[in-house]
């Protein structure tokens, strides 16, 4: 309502009850009076920014000129700042606790100022996932290495803390007297059917017979500790979920923030009272960018920016360049998802996309599954992009269907996105957007590799494997060579094993281990191994019995989806049986090779091989008689096991002979990407989403039984060391006062260049000698009970004492790294907090002097909140990290900058002077201010307010007070 673009609102043709802003109505090919790109040529990600600016245009927070600047993206990129109002916010608990404490405190302040506290609610839909509070107090490895063939009692390793495990007998699972695992009778208390176990924790199944077992003791005890240690915080979160509108709390034990965001919270298209608009998100979790793989614009921001969005304010960004990544060609049949993701990541890292949007287009995009896309989007930190955007297409819609979107929702989503031209058409005739630059990646050039035979960094293309191994035989002994005489390179050693004769030669495979740890945990590569095994068995192929085969999943979830997809029996048929969960083959925990095989290898000086899908392949690591070891994808491990040798050209040589004497080639049994995507979506994705939805709806027993108040105002416990009402609103009045002069301020800290948010903001554990530790000790806590700064972010007393408490802080007053400073009136060297506290008692304002790039590093709300509560009125630096500068304004601290070529040294400042800063009644962007020192020196600085909005926030004492006054 009130938007100048109201005439652009229309009804969706297929669903007339649904309304939306159709930006194509704003002047046809020219929107307004700005000659620019047509809607068809704007990058899809910029179209989302544009729609948001049109829908939220109010003439103050978002102006018509902002919308026009976004529309004129081609000429305005990198030159203007634009506001963006995301559709929702995602928080994790470490950053969520201070935000919700601020809202609780705002309710109190609004009530005290005569307003209605019930009106204080987040303006933007906010989801807070409690996923960062779990600590590992208890740990044990229930299943390790090869199973106990003799049965009987198995000794469990002692728990790390605080109890010692007692040996106990591990009974067999139901109906399997020969079970070799840690199964037990009794009910698990979980729902039945595939994927009924928890997603984040190891599913409760016997790894050998897939029978339910009780929940592991370690999981239960860690969860009990989590609820006990964090009870105050959890009760506060539960109170928040009861009293605030527009806030949803996802309790512990549900999943991590990025998983829940991707699998449950994503709407793709928002439908608010029959008004449609694109889904978009900002979040404080580093994995927020994953959602771009679903066609949802989103990226990570700091706590203060997130809180501002919750308060109804936009985030500001420089209109970015958009790099188009064109995917062409056809993926090699033998290339796995891991090959594709890593190859694209490598190309983007080389293309210099730092600080830019990346958007994917081209005929090859449709070959990537949603899992591939979200993985690429999640790897933005690897190549420096703000985000990597995959517009919604048919692949996305198919995924959403399996993710639980009902038919009606899907129909509206598709119709809306196509109408507003946010749907990517697979047809080659469709017009592609224009980009700042285009990076081309040919999927055809992505080929599978293995690594070896001695070092993981030595990559070998699979199609060159035979010739490369031959070269290794010829080379001198070293990082790759084995120096085998030419006349001995074709030696064959016969060996009798289990009543049959076999022939060993150089390159023979004797160990084949499928392991799903680290980079091979992607469902598609494990499913590929299973489907290949299925086709091999059905074709009549076998693995020679002397090859030591094994299947060691990274978690029971892998076993789960291999079982639900029906491929586990086929892997077992080829000898790849589940041996347990834990590090095994790659750390050398392989059962010894049969004695006959070992003797034959040593007798003939055979270069035998191991092939595994792990991470380590150093010479002799797997077995002292296995000198060549290769890292390969899980399906290639199975393929080489069937072939029995690495001296094979898969293109021209068969793996073996199948039924009826037919030669079977790798291409005959390798699963297609379409087969993989189908199984992944129908067997894995649908079950995972169903399980997560059930967990979200039912909650968990501990959370459901947790008691919390229901009062409008939070009943602050004065004894609490976790939750405290902060003092941000202590001086809240209905009308803001004019900026006050800073008179005779002392310098709290004199810092150099590249001071990071790690130096400023509390993080990690609380040092026993710190000011925060002294405070907690005074409250009767022992060091064991201190917890971390992250856990105590809801207590401003702890966080303020932790500000500038980094032992690496280099204050020029001290001359060496230490969290200390000088209190000049007394001459004492004190902790930074203690000095700031004295200055405040004496009524003396303080400022900070700094060099270049003040505030570098990850965005942290307490990097601004902490200095504010220490009494810092202004920071005077040579330059700032952009985000931190805006955070200082957002909390009410003036960011001042020396003029070009000037700094404390050139101006002859020691930092021991007192400084007076006069602010005129009316401020303007980037205006010049005069500073006078106690020595009589006068110099000019630039007030780094970039626009009128920032000036308004500063006049109000920051964004929190600005919004609080709106509630009044």
């Amino acid at each position: 309502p009130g938007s100048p673009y109201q005439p652009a609102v229309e009804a969706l043709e297929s669903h007339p009850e649904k309304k939306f802003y159709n930006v194509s109505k704003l002047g046809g090919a020219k929107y307004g009076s700005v000659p620019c790109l047509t809607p068809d040529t704007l990058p899809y990600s910029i179209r989302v920014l544009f729609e948001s600016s049109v829908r939220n245009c109010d003439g103050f927070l978002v102006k018509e000129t902002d919308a026009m600047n976004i529309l004129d993206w081609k000429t305005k990129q990198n030159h203007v700042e634009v506001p963006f109002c995301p559709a929702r916010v995602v928080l994790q608990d470490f950053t969520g606790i201070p935000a919700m404490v601020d809202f609780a405190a705002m309710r109190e302040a609004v009530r005290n100022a005569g307003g209605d506290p019930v009106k204080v609610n987040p303006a933007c839909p906010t989801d807070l996932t409690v996923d960062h509070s779990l600590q590992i107090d208890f740990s044990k490895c229930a299943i390790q290495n090869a199973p106990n063939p003799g049965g009987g009692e198995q000794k469990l390793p002692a728990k790390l803390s605080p109890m010692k495990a007692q040996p106990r007998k591990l009974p067999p699972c139901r109906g399997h007297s020969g079970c070799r695992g840690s199964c037990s009778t009794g009910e698990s208390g979980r729902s039945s059917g595939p994927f009924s176990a928890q997603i984040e924790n190891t599913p409760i199944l016997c790894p050998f017979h897939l029978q339910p077992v009780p929940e592991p003791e370690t999981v239960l005890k860690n969860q009990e500790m989590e609820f006990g240690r964090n009870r105050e915080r959890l009760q506060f979160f539960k109170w928040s979920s009861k009293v605030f509108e527009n806030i949803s709390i996802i309790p512990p034990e549900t999943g991590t923030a990025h998983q829940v965001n991707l699998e449950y919270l994503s709407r793709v298209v928002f439908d608010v009272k029959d008004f449609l608009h694109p889904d978009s998100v900002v979040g404080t979790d580093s994995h927020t960018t994953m959602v771009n793989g679903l066609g949802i614009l989103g990226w990570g921001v700091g706590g203060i920016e997130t809180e501002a969005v919750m308060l109804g304010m936009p985030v500001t960004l420089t209109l970015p360049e958009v790099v188009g990544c064109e995917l062409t060609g056809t993926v090699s049949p033998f290339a796995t998802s891991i090959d594709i993701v890593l190859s694209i990541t490598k190309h983007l890292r080389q293309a210099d996309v730092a600080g830019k949007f990346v958007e994917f287009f081209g005929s090859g995009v449709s070959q990537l599954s949603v899992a591939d896309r979200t993985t690429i989007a999640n790897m933005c930190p690897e190549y420096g992009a703000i985000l990597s955007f995959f517009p919604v297409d048919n692949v996305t819609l198919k995924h959403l269907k399996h993710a639980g979107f009902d038919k009606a929702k899907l129909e509206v989503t598709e119709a809306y996105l196509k109408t507003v031209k946010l749907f990517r058409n697979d047809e080659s005739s469709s017009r592609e957007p224009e980009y700042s630059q285009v990076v081309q990646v040919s999927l055809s050039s992505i080929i599978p590799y293995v690594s070896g035979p001695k070092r993981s960094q030595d990559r070998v293309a699979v199609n060159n494997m035979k010739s490369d191994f031959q070269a290794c035989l010829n080379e001198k002994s070293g990082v790759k060579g084995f120096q085998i005489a030419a006349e001995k390179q074709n030696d064959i050693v016969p060996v009798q094993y289990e009543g049959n004769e076999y022939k060993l030669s150089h390159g023979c495979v004797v160990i084949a281990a499928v392991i799903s740890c680290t980079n091979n945990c992607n469902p598609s590569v494990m499913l590929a191994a299973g489907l290949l095994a299925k086709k091999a068995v059905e074709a009549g192929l076998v693995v020679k019995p002397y090859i030591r085969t094994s299947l060691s999943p990274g978690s029971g979830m892998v076993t789960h989806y291999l079982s639900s997809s029906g491929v586990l029996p086929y892997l077992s048929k080829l000898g790849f049986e589940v041996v347990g969960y834990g590090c095994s083959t790659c750390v050398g925990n392989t059962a010894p090779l049969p004695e006959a095989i070992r003797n034959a290898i040593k007798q003939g000086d055979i270069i035998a091989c191991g092939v595994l899908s792990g991470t380590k392949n150093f010479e002799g690591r797997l077995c002292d008689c296995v000198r060549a070891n290769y890292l390969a994808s899980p399906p290639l491990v199975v393929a080489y096991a069937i072939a029995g040798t690495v001296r094979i050209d898969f293109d021209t040589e068969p793996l073996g002979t199948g039924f009826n004497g037919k030669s079977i080639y790798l291409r005959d049994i390798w699963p297609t990407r379409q087969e993989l995507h189908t199984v992944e979506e129908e067997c894995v994705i649908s079950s995972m989403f169903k399980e997560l939805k059930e967990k979200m709806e039912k909650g968990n027993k501990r959370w459901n039984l947790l008691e919390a108040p229901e009062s409008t105002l939070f009943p602050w416990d004065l004894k609490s060391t976790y939750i405290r009402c902060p003092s941000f609103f202590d001086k809240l009045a209905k009308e803001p006062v004019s900026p006050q002069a800073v008179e005779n301020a002392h310098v709290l800290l004199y810092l150099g260049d590249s001071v990071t948010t790690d130096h400023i903001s509390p993080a990690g554990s609380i040092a026993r000698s710190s000011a925060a530790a002294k405070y907690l000790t005074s409250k009767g806590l022992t060091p064991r009970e201190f917890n971390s700064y992250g856990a105590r972010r809801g207590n401003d007393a702890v966080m303020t004492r932790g500000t500038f408490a980094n032992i690496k802080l280099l204050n020029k007053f001290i001359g060496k790294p230490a969290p200390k400073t000088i209190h000049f009136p007394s001459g004492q060297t004190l902790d930074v907090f203690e000095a700031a506290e004295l200055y405040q008692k004496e009524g003396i304002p303080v400022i900070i002097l700094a060099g270049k790039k003040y505030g570098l590093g990850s965005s942290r709300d307490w990097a601004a909140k902490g200095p504010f509560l220490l009494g810092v009125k202004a920071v005077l630096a040579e330059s700032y990290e952009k985000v931190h500068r805006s955070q200082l304004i957002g909390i009410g601290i003036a960011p001042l900058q020396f003029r070009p070529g000037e700094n404390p040294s050139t101006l002859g400042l020691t930092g021991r002077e007192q400084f007076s800063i006069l602010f005129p009644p009316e401020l303007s962007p980037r205006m010049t201010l005069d500073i006078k020192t106690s020595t009589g020196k006068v110099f000019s600085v630039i007030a780094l307010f970039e626009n009128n909005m920032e000036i308004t926030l500063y006049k109000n004492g920051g964004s929190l007070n600005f919004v609080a006054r709106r509630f009044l």
Side-chain angles (χ1 to χ4, degrees):
S3 169
Y5 299 106
Q6 202 67 25
V9 175
E10 66 175 45
L12 190 63
E13 186 176 342
S14 59
H15 297 76
E17 73 280 7
K18 306 293 184 183
K19 303 293 190 296
F20 66 100
Y21 277 96
N22 192 343
V23 290
S24 63
K25 294 291 184 181
L26 302 177
K30 296 180 181 179
Y31 294 84
S33 59
V34 180
C36 65
L37 300 171
T38 66
D40 291 352
T41 58
L42 276 174
Y44 288 92
S45 51
I46 299 300
R47 296 179 205 182
V48 177
L49 292 181
F50 180 55
E51 190 280 340
S52 174
S53 67
V54 167
R55 177 167 38 87
N56 292 288
C57 185
D58 61 359
F60 178 58
L61 295 175
V62 182
K63 301 176 181 178
E64 286 186 69
T65 53
D66 295 321
M68 291 301 102
N69 283 335
I70 296 173
L71 187 65
D72 196 18
W73 164 82
K74 192 172 183 180
T75 59
K76 295 295 179 65
Q77 56 185 290
N78 270 343
H79 297 302
V80 296
E81 297 276 319
V82 295
F84 174 56
C85 299
R88 58 188 173 93
V89 168
V90 172
L91 300 169
Q92 39 90 341
D93 49 325
F94 273 13
T95 49
I97 188 75
M100 298 315 302
V101 166
D102 288 347
F103 270 94
M106 189 183 295
R107 281 198 163 194
E108 193 110 357
V110 167
R111 191 275 310 268
N112 293 340
D116 182 0
V118 176
K119 294 180 179 179
V120 178
N121 294 290
C124 182
T126 301
D127 299 290
L128 192 156
T129 303
V130 185
D131 70 333
H132 278 51
S133 59
L134 180 64
Q135 296 182 26
I136 303 174
D137 296 279
F138 299 87
S139 177
K140 66 182 179 184
C141 203
I143 308 166
Q144 187 71 285
N145 311 325
N148 176 12
E153 209 169 63
Q154 291 183 346
K155 303 268 186 177
L156 295 179
K159 296 169 188 173
L160 296 180
S161 67
M163 297 173 58
K164 186 174 182 179
Q166 297 299 317
R168 60 189 179 93
K169 195 157 186 171
L170 302 175
C173 59
R174 296 187 296 275
H176 292 276
S177 58
C179 175
R180 300 170 290 176
S182 58
C183 300
S184 170
T185 57
E187 297 302 321
S188 65
R190 300 285 183 83
S191 57
S192 60
F195 294 87
S196 59
Q198 289 192 25
I199 290 176
E200 281 301 302
N201 301 315
T202 301
I204 315 307
L205 294 174
C206 165
F208 306 105
H209 302 109
L210 304 180
Q211 295 296 311
V213 297
E215 190 148 17
E217 184 183 1
T218 51
V219 174
L220 286 170
K221 286 189 175 292
N222 279 319
Q223 290 171 356
E224 288 171 5
M225 289 292 288
E226 178 182 11
F227 270 78
R229 177 188 292 113
N230 297 286
R231 179 170 295 276
E232 280 186 57
R233 296 168 62 240
L234 295 177
Q235 287 176 325
F236 176 76
F237 282 139
K238 192 158 187 180
W239 170 81
S240 300
S241 69
K242 290 181 177 181
V243 302
F244 285 114
E245 297 175 5
N246 252 356
I247 183 77
S248 174
I249 307 291
I250 293 90
E253 305 174 30
T254 304
T256 57
H258 57 279
Q259 173 209 0
V260 174
N261 182 26
L262 187 67
E263 299 175 2
Y264 185 79
L265 303 177
S266 296
R267 281 82 151 176
V268 183
V269 171
F270 257 78
D271 186 343
V272 182
K273 297 180 180 179
D274 285 334
F275 200 97
L276 306 176
H277 62 85
D279 190 1
S280 57
V281 61
V282 293
T284 55
D285 185 80
S286 58
H287 301 281
T288 304
T289 53
M290 287 183 76
V291 297
N292 291 280
L294 275 177
I296 298 169
L297 196 71
W299 64 91
V301 295
I304 285 185
E305 297 99 312
T306 308
E307 206 166 325
V309 174
M310 293 171 67
L311 294 167
M313 300 167 64
V315 292
T316 303
L317 72 157
T318 301
L319 193 60
E321 293 181 43
V322 182
V323 177
C325 185
E326 183 179 15
L327 304 182
T328 61
T330 304
V331 179
S332 163
F334 300 147
T336 67
S337 292
I338 298 298
D339 296 320
I340 295 168
V341 167
L342 294 181
S343 180
I344 291 174
T345 299
K346 179 182 177 182
H347 276 86
L348 291 174
R349 190 185 299 119
Q350 295 170 342
D352 186 23
V353 297
K356 304 173 185 177
F357 283 9
V358 173
E359 189 168 293
F360 290 85
F361 72 102
S363 59
V365 174
S366 59
Q367 298 179 54
L368 302 185
S369 68
V370 168
D372 297 335
R373 299 176 186 191
T374 54
T375 304
I376 293 168
N378 185 46
M379 295 183 78
C380 281
E382 290 288 323
Y383 43 88
I386 297 173
L387 56 86
S388 286
F389 192 72
F390 287 86
V392 175
D393 60 7
N394 289 321
V395 174
T396 317
L397 292 180
K398 185 177 179 181
H399 171 86
L400 295 176
K401 179 181 178 182
H402 292 296
F405 274 46
D406 59 49
K407 185 178 179 182
K409 166 79 171 170
L410 276 175
E411 288 177 352
V412 170
T413 297
E414 182 176 3
Y416 168 72
L417 293 175
K418 287 182 175 179
T419 302
V420 296
K421 298 180 180 177
L422 284 173
F423 188 88
R424 194 187 72 85
N425 199 324
D426 291 332
E427 296 177 8
S428 58
S429 59
S430 62
R431 187 177 181 182
E432 297 290 2
E434 294 183 15
Y435 295 104
S436 309
Q437 70 181 90
V438 172
V439 175
Q440 291 187 324
V441 178
S442 171
L443 297 179
S444 304
S445 67
I446 301 174
I447 58 175
Y449 284 84
V450 297
S451 296
K454 298 181 181 182
R455 303 186 306 175
S456 56
Q457 63 264 45
D458 296 326
R459 301 178 73 205
V460 183
V462 171
N463 55 8
N464 293 332
M465 181 66 159
K466 184 176 182 179
S467 59
D468 187 82
F469 185 80
Q470 183 65 42
C472 291
L473 294 179
N474 290 322
E475 283 186 29
K476 291 182 179 181
S477 295
V479 295
K480 285 197 72 170
F482 296 104
Q483 200 170 350
I484 302 297
E487 65 274 14
K488 292 183 174 293
Q489 290 180 7
N490 294 315
D491 285 359
I492 294 176
V493 179
V495 60
Q496 290 288 327
Y497 182 72
E498 293 186 348
N500 293 304
E501 183 177 281
Y502 299 94
K503 297 177 180 179
L504 302 184
S505 59
H506 295 297
C508 62
V509 174
V510 293
I511 295 175
V514 173
I515 304 164
S516 68
C517 66
T518 59
N519 62 319
N520 284 316
C521 62
N522 186 305
S524 65
V525 291
M526 293 298 287
L527 287 172
L531 290 174
L532 187 143
K534 179 177 184 292
K535 290 187 174 186
V537 170
E538 290 172 344
L541 295 175
V542 297
V543 173
K544 295 178 178 65
Y546 62 80
I547 298 177
R548 185 67 71 190
T549 51
S550 61
L551 172 59
S552 180
S555 75
M557 174 54 69
V558 180
T559 308
H560 234 9
Y561 61 67
L562 290 177
S563 176
S564 65
S565 60
V567 299
L568 201 58
Y570 296 96
L571 284 164
S572 180
K573 185 80 171 177
L574 293 180
F576 293 94
E577 294 191 5
V578 177
V579 297
Y581 303 89
C583 292
S584 53
T585 306
C586 28
V587 295
N589 290 343
T590 304
L593 294 177
E595 186 175 355
I597 303 300
R598 289 172 59 89
N599 292 338
I601 292 173
K602 292 180 178 179
Q603 173 192 333
D605 194 24
I606 296 296
I607 306 299
C609 298
V611 186
L612 67 154
S613 62
T615 58
K616 299 178 180 67
N617 64 329
F618 306 124
E619 184 177 12
R621 189 182 186 111
L622 306 190
C623 180
D624 59 1
C625 62
V626 180
R627 287 188 275 170
N629 298 300
Y630 288 92
L631 303 180
S633 65
L636 282 176
V637 171
V638 178
Y640 279 115
I642 295 170
T645 180
V646 299
R647 296 175 80 177
I648 181 174
D649 183 339
F650 287 135
D651 291 333
T652 60
E653 299 175 63
L655 289 173
T657 303
F659 296 125
N660 302 321
K662 182 182 178 182
S663 293
I664 307 296
Y665 292 82
L666 182 58
R667 58 179 173 269
D668 298 327
I669 62 172
W670 192 275
T672 66
R673 287 187 64 78
Q674 185 57 48
E675 288 176 308
L676 280 172
H677 290 174
T678 300
V679 173
E680 187 176 327
E681 291 285 350
E682 295 182 359
C683 294
V684 181
I685 301 298
S686 60
S687 296
M688 289 175 70
F689 278 81
K690 180 181 178 182
E691 169 65 21
L692 182 59
K693 185 177 180 181
E694 289 177 355
K695 289 170 68 177
M696 293 288 292
E697 291 173 351
K698 295 178 181 177
N700 65 69
K701 185 177 180 180
R702 293 181 185 84
W703 176 261
N704 294 339
L705 294 177
L706 188 67
E707 295 182 357
E710 299 184 12
S711 53
T712 300
L713 300 178
F714 185 70
W716 306 99
D717 181 357
L718 298 180
K719 296 180 181 179
S720 173
T721 57
Y722 277 102
I723 308 293
R724 244 177 60 117
C725 185
S727 56
F728 300 127
F729 304 100
D730 284 358
K731 298 179 181 179
L732 179 68
K734 289 189 177 182
E735 296 297 330
V737 296
S738 298
Q740 300 294 301
V742 178
E743 297 182 351
N744 298 317
H746 271 295
V747 175
L748 180 64
L749 293 160
Y750 183 5
L751 307 171
D753 297 339
S754 303
V755 173
T756 70
T757 52
D758 279 346
H759 291 117
I760 306 169
S761 173
S765 59
I766 299 172
R768 295 190 180 192
S769 60
S770 66
K774 294 173 187 176
Y775 166 79
L776 293 173
T777 301
S778 72
K779 296 294 183 180
L781 274 64
T782 64
R784 182 181 180 84
E785 298 169 309
F786 286 173
N787 212 322
S788 65
Y789 281 116
R792 294 192 181 274
R793 270 178 151 170
N795 185 330
D796 64 305
V798 172
M799 300 303 285
T800 306
R801 285 166 171 79
T803 303
F804 293 113
N806 190 315
I807 60 172
K808 299 294 184 182
L809 181 74
L810 182 57
N811 180 5
K812 293 185 179 183
F813 293 148
I814 303 301
K816 62 180 181 180
K820 301 285 185 179
T821 195
I822 297 174
H823 175 252
F824 288 107
S826 67
Q828 298 179 80
T829 297
L830 303 169
D831 286 339
V832 175
F833 171 79
E834 292 171 345
E837 189 177 37
L838 271 182
Y839 280 126
Q840 291 194 39
K841 286 180 180 178
E842 296 161 348
I844 300 174
V846 294
I847 65 171
I848 291 172
L849 286 183
K852 300 180 181 71
K853 299 180 180 179
Y854 180 77
L856 277 175
S858 58
S859 174
R860 289 187 183 158
D861 55 342
W862 276 102
K865 288 179 175 178
F868 175 82
L869 293 179
L870 288 176
V872 175
K873 302 300 181 184
V875 177
L876 179 52
E878 291 182 66
S879 64
Y880 292 83
E881 197 281 330
K882 176 183 169 184
V883 172
H884 186 65
R885 180 202 63 83
S886 66
Q887 289 183 336
L888 291 175
I889 297 171
I891 201 61
I893 295 175
L896 308 179
Q897 182 172 290
F898 290 104
R899 291 187 302 185
E902 294 184 348
N903 58 46
S905 296
T906 63
L907 293 171
L909 303 175
T910 65
R912 297 173 181 269
E913 307 90 344
Q914 287 182 271
F915 295 74
S916 295
I917 310 167
L918 180 64
F919 289 94
E922 294 300 323
L923 297 174
S924 60
R926 298 187 70 86
M927 74 181 302
T928 299
L929 302 177
D930 288 334
I931 296 182
K932 184 177 181 179
T933 71
S934 54
T935 60
K937 183 181 291 292
V938 178
F939 60 96
S940 298
V941 296
I942 303 167
L944 288 185
F945 304 113
E946 299 293 348
N947 51 53
N948 290 327
M949 181 66 219
E950 290 187 345
I951 292 173
T952 300
L953 292 181
Y954 179 72
K955 284 183 174 180
N956 276 271
S959 55
L960 291 172
N961 283 275
F962 170 74
V963 173
R965 288 190 176 96
R966 298 180 76 178
F967 289 122
L968 296 177

